[in-house]
Amino acid sequence: MTDLNAVWAVGGLMALGALASLLFGGGGSRRAGVAFFAAWFVPGAGHLILGRWVKALALFGLLAATYGTGLWLCGWRHVSFEDNPFYYIGQFGSGVTMFLGQLLGDPKAYPREDMPPSWFDNGMLYMCVAGLLNVVIMMSVFDAARGRKAVEAPAPEAGRAAP
Amino acid sequence: MSASYMPYYIPIIVIVMLVLEICKYDDPKTILKRAFTNVAVLTGVLAAGMTAIYFVNKYF
């Protein structure tokens, strides 16, 4: 399977999943499904759909900064399978990181001449981590959409109760 | 030309911890406190491991 075919296959599967939840999901599960797939496509979009816009903005900002830094370090080119198979697969954790890499054209990252070559690996790691962290965010969206609340902040200790 | 990886270690660790805590908690203070505590603990564990490896390589 070529690079582009893999991108279209994953993108198509996620779009089908979103469509299926929209068409066949009822009430809460429709919302959960749409939020889940939106969270895959754009980091933070799932939280935005659930009305948690502060979290959405924070997550989008963090992941955009991570991916942007990675791209910058790799000369504005995404990770190819030949560079590192693990980092390459990591990019599929988010639709934006997956499609943006393809839109940038040249399918291979290379070390920038104006930077130390050892930073090139960091760039690929940053791009991969942006995708992988989005998978965690998707799980969080799914939990939140199904009504599970975030963990309450631990209360300050006011003294131990008597046994 | 070679350069240290270190400038890129702290930002990525902070981002990973922040995202994990944002997913778990709603309160910004709790998020920041727990994220930076985890960064410190992880850095400490890695530093201890590096030190141990350094001495193992040097003396054994």
Side-chain angles (χ1 to χ4, degrees):
Chain A
M1 185 180 276
T2 65
D3 205 32
L4 198 59
N5 284 347
V7 168
W8 283 115
V10 175
L13 272 177
M14 297 310 264
L16 272 179
L19 196 65
S21 11
L22 203 61
L23 293 177
F24 306 116
S29 62
R30 175 183 296 170
R31 192 163 165 255
V34 171
F36 179 79
F37 289 109
W40 173 76
F41 194 72
V42 179
H47 283 93
L48 199 63
I49 288 173
L50 298 178
R52 301 177 176 196
W53 63 272
V54 178
K55 273 194 177 191
L57 275 179
L59 291 169
F60 180 80
L62 284 170
L63 262 61
T66 310
Y67 189 68
T69 307
L71 276 179
W72 175 65
L73 286 171
C74 287
W76 303 105
R77 281 161 174 82
H78 73 135
V79 185
S80 70
F81 190 81
E82 292 79 26
D83 288 323
N84 189 313
F86 299 109
Y87 290 168
Y88 170 77
I89 290 167
Q91 294 178 118
F92 283 70
S94 156
V96 169
T97 58
M98 193 181 79
F99 284 117
L100 197 61
Q102 294 300 319
L103 289 175
L104 287 171
D106 194 335
K108 189 160 170 58
Y110 64 88
R112 289 173 56 151
E113 288 176 5
D114 55 339
M115 284 186 185
S118 59
W119 287 4
F120 175 64
D121 207 38
N122 290 326
M124 293 197 293
L125 175 74
Y126 270 51
M127 285 193 269
C128 170
V129 165
L132 292 179
L133 279 178
N134 196 47
V135 176
V136 178
I137 295 171
M138 286 165 69
M139 298 300 146
S140 152
V141 165
F142 195 67
D143 253 7
R146 292 175 70 86
R148 194 177 298 175
K149 288 184 178 175
V151 179
E152 292 292 330
E157 284 188 32
R160 290 172 187 272
Chain B
M1 186 166 61
S2 179
S4 169
Y5 285 87
M6 289 309 286
Y8 294 99
Y9 164 73
I10 292 291
I12 196 75
I13 287 300
V14 169
I15 284 170
V16 169
M17 295 304 172
L18 277 175
V19 168
L20 293 180
E21 297 302 332
I22 286 173
C23 288
K24 200 172 172 189
Y25 293 98
D26 284 337
D27 178 40
K29 275 186 186 172
T30 311
I31 289 169
L32 287 175
K33 191 179 164 189
R34 286 183 59 94
F36 283 100
T37 306
N38 289 341
V39 168
V41 170
L42 181 62
T43 306
V45 169
L46 290 176
M50 283 192 301
T51 311
I53 289 170
Y54 172 79
F55 282 110
V56 166
N57 280 334
K58 190 168 185 181
Y59 296 111
F60 296 98

